Amino acid sequence: LSILLLSLGLGTTLTFASSHWLLAWMGLEISTLAIIPLMSQHHHPRAVEATTKYFITQAAAAALILFASTTNAWITGQWDINFDLHFFPASMLTMALALKMGLAPVHFWLPEVLQGLDLTTGLILSTWQKLAPFILMCQIMPVNSSLITFLGVTSTLVGGWGGLNQTQLRKILAYSSIAHLGWMILVMQFNQQLALLALIIYIPMTFSTFMIFKTNSSTTVNTLAASWAKTPALTAITPMILLSLGGLPPLSGFMPKWMILQELTKQDIPLTASIAALSALLSLYFYLRVSCAMTLTISPNNLNATTPWRLQTTASTLPLAISATISAMLLPLAPATL
């Protein structure tokens, strides 16, 4: 386990630190290969299926990245990442990195894969595994503007609509991830720091959500509804984190959305900004649905006592406490980040 986790870290760090396309590609490959045993460790048919799907998509994306960077080196004669890319390989790289991250319209693997995994591996997949392609995407900006806007808008819309009818929490989180990445991609062509800020705030929010589901050991909305008897304090805090993911003030999730809309308006593309803002309403609906099921309905519970007798938990709750605080109360720092 420690070897795999260290390789996971190494792969991403290698991609961060590289200025050569081959090295960046190698980092992506290392992190893909490191997470595969983590994904299939339960030997459940669903986990194996999810791992296979993940492997195939990531291998395709990596091959495309290798092809695009080789083509770029063939056309321009150099391998440097910070050097301007030729238009054609740049578009190809954008699509390959979108496939790596799971941006719409190449997102179809993400909900399926996330659904087959346990919550801890799912958490790694939706936070840490997004970092390397994200940073690469930041480094090749600005490229084909209409392609990037198309990816961003499609992702926010798909991420909103896809999650509406779901009862599985992991699929809801997958669509939420697609929508958030769409927002980041939209603003990335104008302001990479802002996209990075959105990612930095998205990570603790997603971490908190996954950890809450893990604490309640629930993977569907129905089982989550029974959590008020198990962890009453956590149940009270959860809607704040979910609505922070939805982007409501005065929670932290509002800050990136607000700044991204402001930046898009400054760049004189109000239509894109309006579509993004309206698609946030779609996402908000399913976060509200989960919150409502969790806190505003009392599920049938066979316990007569209000607080059941429970053993002292062995799991550490400190990481969840820290990330929940971050994902609810970071908004006053918005002027400092500006």
Side-chain angles (χ1 to χ4, degrees), residues 52-129:
T52 314
K53 284 177 180 168
Y54 181 75
F55 177 71
I56 291 170
T57 48
Q58 297 296 307
L64 202 53
I65 289 171
L66 196 56
F67 178 57
S69 49
T70 315
T71 312
N72 183 59
W74 176 50
I75 296 172
T76 60
Q78 47 75 44
W79 285 92
D80 202 325
I81 292 182
N82 304 315
F83 197 80
D84 280 348
L85 290 162
H86 185 264
F87 180 78
F88 171 64
S91 307
M92 206 157 38
L93 266 167
T94 310
M95 283 315 288
L97 291 168
L99 178 58
K100 271 248 181 250
M101 285 192 284
L103 283 166
V106 282
H107 66 283
F108 294 97
W109 61 273
L110 186 59
E112 298 290 326
V113 167
L114 213 53
Q115 184 52 38
L117 305 178
D118 67 317
L119 290 164
T120 322
T121 322
L123 168 65
I124 297 176
L125 186 68
S126 33
T127 53
W128 186 255
Q129 289 295 87

Side-chain angles (χ1 to χ4, degrees), residues 6-86:
L6 283 169
S7 306
L8 207 59
L10 170 77
T12 307
T13 319
L14 198 60
T15 310
F16 283 178
S18 61
S19 59
H20 191 288
W21 275 112
L22 272 184
L23 205 58
W25 168 81
M26 209 186 311
L28 290 170
E29 279 298 273
I30 290 173
S31 59
T32 303
L33 290 176
I35 202 175
I36 280 173
L38 292 175
M39 291 166 83
S40 60
Q41 65 187 340
H42 293 292
H43 299 298
H44 189 278
R46 289 205 172 188
V48 175
E49 182 188 347
T51 313
T52 314
K53 284 177 180 168
Y54 181 75
F55 177 71
I56 291 170
T57 48
Q58 297 296 307
L64 202 53
I65 289 171
L66 196 56
F67 178 57
S69 49
T70 315
T71 312
N72 183 59
W74 176 50
I75 296 172
T76 60
Q78 47 75 44
W79 285 92
D80 202 325
I81 292 182
N82 304 315
F83 197 80
D84 280 348
L85 290 162
H86 185 264

